């Protein structure tokens, strides 16, 4: 069998090349257009994905912080007045200061007991009382001099009723911060 040597064209003829490899050329052109389209669409999406990812990480950190605080709140327990020897002493001191000024407590309601980190407890109280204006002012002034607790007035309601004049009807919501040694 004789060897056939193909003749090498002297000029590169694109028309002939295109005609012979039309399918491959169209396929390559389609793939190139597809890749350019994907890049055109995906680059902005990747930028948005990066921004969303940063936001997600930030929100995850915030969620972890809130979850940690919630676990601390799980440790908060509502207890009775008798659960600590310091609570009756603080209440006795508060009542004694009121009695010295002529203030009688009509109602005292405990709104739970909150344990904080360390040896601190908050005893939220709601106190209803009838007293005159001067006694109320002196009592509120004496709250900062209590030795058994640091007492904060959360809410103060004063109403004047004709039946009890010159006295006032007072509703106090206190937070007594009590330290257990």
């Amino acid at each position: 069998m004789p060897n056939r040597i193909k003749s090498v064209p002297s000029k590169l003829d694109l028309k002939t090349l295109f005609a012979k490899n039309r399918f491959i050329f169209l396929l390559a052109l389609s793939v190139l257009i597809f890749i350019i389209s994907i890049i055109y669409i995906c680059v902005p999406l990747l930028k948005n994905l990066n921004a969303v990812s940063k936001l997600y990480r930030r929100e995850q950190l915030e969620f972890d912080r809130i979850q940690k605080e919630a676990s601390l709140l799980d440790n908060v327990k509502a207890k009775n007045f008798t659960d600590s020897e310091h609570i009756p002493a603080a209440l006795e001191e508060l009542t004694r200061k009121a009695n010295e000024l002529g203030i009688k407590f009509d109602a005292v309601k405990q709104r739970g007991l909150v344990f904080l980190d360390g040896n601190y407890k908050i005893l939220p109280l709601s106190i209803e009382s009838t007293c005159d204006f001067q006694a109320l002012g002196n009592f509120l002034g004496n709250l900062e001099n209590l030795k058994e607790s640091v007492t904060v007035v959360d809410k103060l309601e004063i109403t004047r009723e004709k039946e009890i004049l010159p006295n006032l009807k007072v509703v106090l919501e206190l937070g007594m911060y009590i330290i257990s040694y």
Side-chain angles (χ1 to χ4, degrees):
M1 261 187 154
N3 285 337
R4 290 189 177 174
I5 299 176
K6 293 185 180 181
S7 63
V8 178
S10 60
K11 259 185 175 178
L12 184 59
D13 188 13
L14 289 177
K15 206 175 209 185
T16 310
L17 184 63
F18 180 71
K20 290 182 179 177
N21 298 317
R22 187 176 191 175
F23 177 73
I24 294 174
F25 181 73
L26 288 176
L27 183 63
L29 185 62
S30 298
V31 168
L32 182 64
I33 291 172
F34 178 74
I35 290 174
I36 291 172
S37 300
I38 292 296
I39 291 173
Y40 181 74
I41 291 171
C42 287
V43 167
L45 290 177
L46 288 174
K47 287 181 182 178
N48 285 343
L49 183 62
N50 188 26
V52 168
S53 177
K54 287 179 184 177
L55 181 64
Y56 173 76
R57 282 192 295 267
R58 192 174 333 129
E59 292 298 322
Q60 183 66 37
L61 289 173
E62 179 70 12
F63 176 75
D64 291 342
R65 183 188 65 78
I66 290 171
Q67 198 170 24
K68 185 177 177 182
E69 287 178 5
S71 70
L72 289 175
L73 288 177
D74 288 342
N75 296 332
V76 173
K77 299 170 186 166
K79 300 275 184 172
N80 291 330
F81 280 79
T82 59
D83 286 347
S84 170
E85 69 268 4
H86 300 286
I87 293 173
L91 289 172
E92 180 184 340
E93 182 182 26
L94 182 73
T95 306
R96 187 174 18 87
K97 291 284 186 184
N99 288 339
E100 288 172 2
L101 296 169
I103 298 174
K104 300 264 186 210
F105 293 154
D106 299 330
V108 177
K109 298 176 190 166
Q110 178 186 4
R111 298 179 290 146
L113 181 64
V114 179
F115 290 86
L116 299 177
D117 290 337
N119 297 325
Y120 295 97
K121 298 176 184 104
I122 302 174
L123 178 64
L125 295 174
S126 179
I127 299 173
E128 295 178 17
S129 177
T130 305
C131 62
D132 66 14
F133 187 76
Q134 185 175 3
L136 175 63
N138 289 333
F139 177 72
L140 292 174
N142 284 334
L143 288 180
E144 67 181 35
N145 297 326
L146 297 177
K147 294 186 181 10
E148 295 291 330
S149 66
V150 174
T151 304
V152 177
V153 177
D154 295 325
K155 183 178 174 184
L156 172 63
E157 286 182 28
I158 302 173
T159 54
R160 198 172 114 184
E161 296 180 7
K162 289 183 180 180
E163 301 88 41
I164 59 172
L165 282 177
N167 289 337
L168 304 169
K169 184 167 178 79
V170 179
V171 177
L172 274 172
E173 289 188 9
L174 304 175
M176 295 182 74
Y177 290 76
I178 300 169
I179 302 172
S180 300
Y181 303 103

